[in-house]
Amino acid sequence: MVQVSSMKEDAVTSGHGSGGRLTQKLTERILSRFETEGFEMEDCAFLDKGGNDADIAVTMDGFTVSPQDFPGGDIGKLAVCGSSNDLAVRGVEPRWLTLSLIIEEGLEFSLLDRYMESAARTAKEGNIRLIAGDTKVVPHGMADKIFIAACAMGKKMSSRTLQTSNLRQGDVLILSTSPGRHGAALAAARFNIAAPGLTSDCALLWPSLKPLMALDGLRCMRDCTRGGLGTVLCEWAEGASLGVELVETNLPANRETNAICDILGFDPLYLASEGCAVVAVAPEQAEGCLDLLRQNSISRDAAVIGRIVADHPRMVGMKTRIGGMRCVDMPVGEILPRIC
Amino acid sequence: MMCLAVPYTIVEIFDDGSARAESGGVEVEIRLDLIEDPAVGDTVLVHAGFAIQKLDRGESEEMIALWKELNEAAEASVARV
Amino acid sequence: MPESDLKAPREGPANIEALRGKLSEYLECAGRPLTFMEVCGTHTVAIFRSGLRSLLPEGLRVLSGPGCPVCVTDQSEIDMALSLAKRDCVVLTYGDMLRVPGSSGSLLKMKGEGAAVEVVTSAIQSMEIARKNPEREVVFLGVGFETTAPATAVTLQQARRNGLDNFSVLCLHKTVPAALSALCSNPDLRIDGFILPGHVTVVTGLDEYAFLTKKLRRAAAVAGFEPEEILACMTDLARQVAERDFRLSVWRLKDVPIEGNPAARRILSEVFEPCDARWRGLGVIAGSGCRIAEPYGEFDAVRKFGLDPAEDVVDNGCRCGEVLSGLISPPECELFGRVCTPLAPVGPCMVSSEGTCGAWYRYHQ
């Protein structure tokens, strides 16, 4: 008699929040309850102003980072960067912001003030205005100090709509900086690893992406947040039914991020960034795109990391240092530190 | 390249058998209970927070011999071209 | 020989090319297709991540063995850990263990339901946590092979020294040679050579593996985890078969004492004693487990909480044992892809993301 214990999912797990395959399933589940005709699976949506070209975009994002303070930023800065970067990668200049704060009772005012000052400073730097907001206080233990939901809005500056369906065979992929520094900085803080030289890449992307609006061969862009670069590229490959080919030795790398990955058994390809964009551009404009990116300090290390190919559609392959090929798959659930 | 025992250099040794060790720009706390006569500056292989072996013996003879053989073979084939 | 010749990444492909050529030569000499097994889960991941598999010549099949200590943790052992979490113990574990299925879910699932399950990155941290929470029973899950077991042994010594009465260890440590020996006892075994784990031998030394070459007349060699090291090891395995010259060799760029780490082994033999252990997919293997020895009995979670390692295990139909022995390929198991998937794994080969079944599922669908 064969009996099988099955691990049926009957509740939300931490893995559903990890940005990989399970997050995809969760999103699908939620959307299935709605009328979603015309719903794009992109980072932000364009508002249809009744016949005119859509030129206002909106996005919504939640922030529950632990620890709330990390090298290179805090939850306040992250809320502004994270939400407005979702606009920037669709060629939208972030202009307006609304914030909804879920505050746990007992949060010291000194912390609250610091996070809000940090958010305000970042908004000012990006020329983004706070136009509405909300606060809720929940009993002790119902939230982890503070959760922030942010809605960012802005004006479309690209001549055409940047979207996954623009991808063509031969397009060149450019990464604006080394991937995973945000995830690595958080992991270092959580697992007691001292990394004095490492800060999160948390930053506003628009200033470095704005010059790319001049390129008519710009196809689409994404910021590599939850699930990392690997997940974004898997989404592109699946969304466009094309293959992605990466070249390992071309990937910008960060020494401390690699060291942290070695210790914990992580792969930098799946670690979150908060100021790192991957850009797809027509091959004849790749060089120009690279030059434009490198003029901005946050994307000084930009590099061509691969291209869109016709073979292995819907799959991401990576040419490795030793000349082999490996598959880059979407992570299934939460990324856990490993010993073997 | 991932490998879950990483070579670290011992930076500081404490009385309780723990130490600070550095690799690739990051520092962690490790235990030295499994190593005989550890000293600051030693390179040790660390697995799950414990140094499991000193790594101060240079290169492996077998590897050197093989590499040498391969390099010579490669040179010979270049010479033939 | 300057060091740069051995390590310069730019030299990588050139070295790899040369090694591939040599490997092909030996395969040709062998005159038949060969099957090697990498015994260590970290090798499995290294082979996958470096893209080495795609560079292997025709006529060579490489199987992933029972070499991930986490994946071979039996369902009954996970059930013991789950029962500890249900009893309101603080359960501390390496991250690898969280997803491994018991008969009613995993530690990750219990954590999601509010159980006190926390990830540590070193065994010693579990003792600190016990010290800081004197009102809670704190249990550390000791999993891993000979590389990892010494850390648990030291932690037990420290716990005894400090007289911690709220700390214990659920000891699930296993040893590699016994499992290999059990695999090899199958007369149908179709494995010509073994890639032995670089880090386990850092502790154990090589003597325990001599039976592979001397008694069983199989090729066996130790490799580090750089792709060049693994390929050099495979090349030597093919040489051993081709020349019928079975000798344990070591392929590590860095030289490590071949006698292993005697200090670590002393601590292991003081704190643990060998016992029979149940392996997921392989069943009970005599002498392949570590039990906490009498002087440390008070820190043994099995004794402390009267845990019952279920004797009668239900046959769940998993054929990982045969996959691990190279007898069948994953799709020949009726659970594969239907009941047993990466999201709901049944056997060790699917539990491990790079196990034979996990990899097959991802790349052959």
Side-chain angles (χ1 to χ4, degrees):
Chain A
M1 178 63 208
V2 170
Q3 280 186 19
V4 174
S5 72
S6 160
M7 302 262 297
K8 270 194 84 71
E9 292 286 351
D10 45 14
V12 176
T13 64
S14 56
H16 286 101
S18 64
R21 190 68 68 195
L22 279 172
T23 303
Q24 211 179 26
K25 283 185 185 296
L26 178 69
T27 310
E28 284 164 10
R29 187 185 184 110
I30 292 164
L31 290 179
S32 71
R33 303 287 182 267
F34 289 85
E35 296 265 329
T36 51
E37 203 186 328
F39 193 98
E40 305 170 281
M41 294 298 279
E42 298 282 0
D43 280 336
C44 68
F46 292 105
L47 299 181
D48 185 1
K49 297 193 312 184
N52 300 341
D53 269 353
D55 65 351
I56 296 286
V58 63
T59 185
M60 185 79 216
D61 218 333
F63 299 89
T64 60
V65 65
S66 165
Q68 275 109 350
D69 289 274
F70 47 85
D74 58 39
I75 193 168
K77 179 183 179 183
L78 184 66
V80 179
C81 292
S83 56
S84 45
N85 287 349
D86 280 349
L87 299 175
V89 291
R90 292 207 77 190
V92 173
E93 180 172 40
R95 297 282 296 276
W96 306 284
L97 181 73
T98 73
L99 291 177
S100 167
L101 311 181
I102 310 280
I103 305 166
E104 183 189 21
E105 67 176 341
L107 176 74
E108 296 96 347
F109 278 122
S110 60
L111 270 184
L112 178 66
D113 294 345
R114 192 149 56 77
Y115 296 150
M116 289 306 109
E117 272 161 24
S118 161
R121 200 170 38 244
T122 310
K124 190 171 176 203
E125 182 193 324
N127 206 8
I128 303 163
R129 272 205 4 245
L130 183 72
I131 54 168
D134 178 51
T135 56
K136 290 284 182 292
V137 177
V138 296
H140 184 80
M142 301 284 282
D144 180 11
K145 296 194 187 85
I146 182 167
F147 295 153
I148 302 179
C151 167
M153 287 144 288
K155 281 199 157 170
K156 179 173 162 185
M157 305 303 258
S158 60
S159 50
R160 54 191 295 217
T161 304
L162 304 177
Q163 53 200 8
T164 311
S165 58
N166 296 344
L167 290 169
R168 296 286 170 271
Q169 181 194 341
D171 285 350
V172 171
L173 300 174
I174 294 174
L175 194 66
S176 69
T177 185
S178 69
R181 295 205 306 278
H182 180 70
L186 288 183
R190 279 179 206 155
F191 296 105
N192 210 3
I193 300 168
L198 177 70
T199 52
S200 161
D201 47 23
C202 183
L204 291 168
L205 283 171
W206 180 246
S208 65
L209 300 183
K210 185 178 177 180
L212 308 190
M213 298 309 115
L215 303 171
D216 58 4
L218 189 65
R219 308 287 199 221
C220 58
M221 311 189 282
R222 284 288 282 279
D223 61 333
C224 309
T225 53
R226 262 190 327 189
L229 171 67
T231 300
V232 167
L233 294 176
C234 287
E235 286 172 356
W236 275 4
E238 287 168 23
S241 289
L242 287 161
V244 169
E245 191 169 282
L246 291 178
V247 181
E248 184 173 39
T249 47
N250 288 6
L251 283 169
N254 169 266
R255 181 164 161 250
E256 287 90 353
T257 300
N258 287 345
I260 287 162
C261 285
D262 277 346
I263 298 167
L264 299 173
F266 292 166
D267 186 336
L269 287 174
Y270 301 124
L271 285 184
S273 304
E274 290 292 348
C276 169
V278 60
V279 177
V281 63
E284 63 276 9
Q285 294 187 334
E287 207 54 46
C289 180
L290 209 51
D291 291 342
L292 290 170
L293 280 169
R294 285 177 178 167
Q295 284 167 20
N296 188 297
S297 65
I298 73 155
S299 44
R300 203 183 14 234
D301 301 330
V304 169
I305 57 163
R307 59 203 173 98
I308 302 290
V309 294
D311 13 316
H312 54 80
R314 308 176 63 80
M315 300 268 283
V316 180
M318 181 157 82
K319 204 167 176 48
T320 61
R321 171 178 73 80
I322 61 167
M325 277 298 282
R326 84 169 249 207
C327 171
V328 176
D329 201 12
M330 211 183 264
V332 171
E334 200 180 354
I335 300 173
L336 300 162
R338 316 187 342 223
I339 52 145
C340 68
Chain B
M1 183 68 237
M2 190 209 76
C3 153
L4 296 180
V6 185
Y8 278 86
T9 306
I10 298 178
V11 180
E12 187 179 1
I13 297 179
F14 304 108
D15 292 342
D16 65 352
S18 67
R20 275 191 313 122
E22 187 275 341
S23 169
V26 307
E27 275 192 7
V28 291
E29 191 167 304
I30 62 168
R31 297 284 316 178
L32 300 174
D33 312 70
L34 306 170
I35 299 285
E36 312 215 309
D37 310 319
V40 169
D42 281 356
T43 304
V44 289
L45 196 59
V46 174
H47 170 78
F50 280 73
I52 55 170
Q53 188 65 268
K54 281 191 197 176
L55 288 179
D56 51 1
R57 297 167 34 115
E59 307 298 343
S60 128
E61 297 283 324
E62 247 164 359
M63 278 309 251
I64 290 175
L66 176 79
W67 243 253
K68 205 170 160 153
E69 189 187 329
L70 288 171
N71 285 334
E72 280 164 9
E75 275 163 28
S77 67
V78 169
R80 272 205 307 274
V81 168
Chain C
M1 187 95 198
E3 192 179 77
S4 61
D5 275 357
L6 288 175
K7 283 226 240 0
R10 254 182 236 101
E11 295 296 315
N15 286 337
I16 291 278
E17 241 1 83
L19 283 164
R20 281 175 75 195
K22 214 159 175 60
L23 175 57
S24 300
E25 268 173 53
Y26 286 130
L27 283 170
E28 210 158 304
C29 292
R32 62 183 174 87
L34 299 183
T35 300
F36 296 160
M37 174 181 277
E38 92 260 353
V39 175
C40 167
T42 307
H43 274 148
T44 311
V45 176
I47 290 172
F48 161 73
R49 281 211 188 168
S50 63
L52 189 54
R53 198 172 289 281
S54 66
L55 296 174
L56 297 177
E58 288 284 297
L60 176 61
R61 184 168 66 136
V62 178
L63 296 174
S64 305
C68 151
V70 175
C71 316
V72 295
T73 306
D74 193 63
Q75 186 170 302
S76 61
E77 298 180 317
I78 300 288
D79 285 348
M80 287 196 281
L82 295 175
S83 81
L84 290 169
K86 284 192 187 102
R87 290 174 203 221
D88 211 28
C89 294
V90 178
V91 174
L92 303 172
T93 173
Y94 297 128
D96 323 47
M97 289 295 287
L98 289 185
R99 261 194 274 271
V100 186
S103 52
S104 62
S106 63
L107 285 164
L108 193 60
K109 190 164 175 241
M110 285 206 68
K111 183 174 161 66
E113 290 161 1
V117 175
E118 298 298 335
V119 171
V120 291
T121 51
S122 170
I124 212 84
Q125 293 161 351
S126 58
M127 221 183 57
E128 295 304 315
I129 291 168
R131 203 176 301 166
K132 284 187 184 128
N133 298 278
E135 74 295 346
R136 297 289 297 269
E137 278 293 340
V138 174
V139 186
F140 173 68
L141 299 191
V143 287
F145 292 137
E146 294 92 329
T147 328
T148 320
T152 306
V154 170
T155 304
L156 281 162
Q157 286 180 328
Q158 297 273 344
R160 188 171 162 208
R161 216 164 286 157
N162 292 308
L164 275 182
D165 60 0
N166 65 327
F167 176 73
S168 57
V169 171
L170 177 57
C171 184
L172 309 173
H173 287 292
K174 294 180 169 60
T175 52
V176 179
L180 276 185
S181 175
L183 265 182
C184 292
S185 67
N186 183 337
D188 296 331
L189 177 86
R190 295 183 200 136
I191 295 169
D192 302 291
F194 292 90
I195 302 162
L196 299 174
H199 291 152
V200 168
T201 50
V202 162
V203 173
T204 61
L206 300 185
D207 289 356
E208 293 192 69
Y209 296 93
F211 75 93
L212 290 168
T213 49
K214 288 203 171 92
K215 205 169 96 199
L216 297 170
R217 309 282 294 150
R218 308 261 177 194
V222 175
F225 296 91
E226 292 295 334
E228 289 86 350
E229 295 168 323
I230 300 169
L231 195 56
C233 173
M234 290 179 183
T235 304
D236 192 62
L237 292 178
R239 183 200 62 77
Q240 291 182 39
V241 177
E243 298 176 357
R244 303 204 55 72
D245 170 31
F246 302 110
R247 271 186 306 177
L248 268 185
S249 56
V250 181
W251 301 94
R252 277 192 288 236
L253 295 167
K254 277 277 178 216
D255 203 4
V256 171
I258 57 166
E259 66 276 11
N261 182 335
R265 287 204 301 279
R266 263 199 311 280
I267 293 174
L268 284 179
S269 60
E270 190 208 325
V271 176
F272 299 127
E273 54 196 24
C275 65
D276 298 352
R278 198 184 293 282
W279 294 53
R280 181 181 294 263
L282 296 174
V284 174
I285 298 177
S288 68
C290 298
R291 186 172 41 218
I292 296 174
E294 194 46 54
Y296 295 88
E298 62 192 291
F299 299 103
D300 181 354
V302 173
R303 296 178 225 185
K304 187 171 187 173
F305 299 99
L307 297 178
D308 176 26
E311 283 309 316
D312 50 335
V313 171
V314 185
D315 172 21
N316 61 13
C318 164
R319 296 179 68 189
C320 273
E322 293 159 273
V323 172
L324 290 173
S325 313
L327 301 176
I328 64 167
S329 63
E332 292 172 68
C333 169
E334 62 172 26
L335 305 188
F336 179 79
R338 295 189 305 116
V339 180
C340 182
T341 66
L343 274 176
V346 176
C349 308
M350 191 67 90
V351 170
S352 158
S353 60
E354 293 310 326
T356 305
C357 295
W360 195 286
Y361 184 92
R362 291 224 302 248
Y363 310 127
H364 291 267
Q365 294 287 314

